[in-house]
Amino acid sequence: MQFLVVFLVTLLFLLLLIAALVFGRTPTYRPSREAVLALLKGVSEGSTDQQAWAVFLGSPIFHDEALETIRRHCYEFDEGLTDLPVKPGLHGRLYDAAGRAYIQEQADKLIHIIKHTPVSRDF
């Protein structure tokens, strides 16, 4: 009797596991343009934390080419591949004033992209 109970519980667990693997999706990083804009403004204002910034820099954005271009520019700046030197900021900020100005330029580009994106609605 105990064998049957253990067998049924194990079978139920395996069936639930298989169903989760078949019907589940792979987690992806799909930020909206507004979320990336808030992140960029947070770097300029000092409210973005290091972990959120590292996820943004380290995760390619496949669903939006404009966001990927901005992410790539920020990544190149963070890695020191631009002419502007990367220096840490004071009081919990990620970059110094020149670095924050560069990130603000990227935020301004994103604001321009958001303003000139045509509006489409599904009915």
Side-chain angles (χ1 to χ4, degrees), residues 35-101:
V36 172
L37 181 61
L39 190 69
L40 293 173
K41 284 185 176 183
V43 170
S44 298
E45 298 166 356
S47 62
T48 298
D49 63 340
Q50 180 67 33
Q51 184 178 10
W53 187 244
V55 168
F56 171 69
L57 292 179
S59 301
I61 301 173
F62 296 112
H63 69 281
D64 191 341
E65 186 61 35
L67 288 181
E68 175 61 17
T69 302
I70 289 174
R71 184 201 70 83
R72 199 173 306 123
H73 286 292
C74 293
Y75 175 78
E76 289 171 357
F77 167 72
D78 189 66
E79 291 294 316
L81 302 175
T82 61
D83 295 334
L84 189 65
V86 180
K87 296 179 183 174
L90 299 174
H91 306 295
R93 294 182 184 244
L94 297 175
Y95 303 114
D96 63 343
R100 290 192 308 269

Side-chain angles (χ1 to χ4, degrees), residues 88-110:
L90 299 174
H91 306 295
R93 294 182 184 244
L94 297 175
Y95 303 114
D96 63 343
R100 290 192 308 269
Y102 181 81
I103 299 299
Q104 185 60 44
E105 289 175 13
Q106 300 304 315
D108 293 340
K109 288 179 187 177
L110 184 56

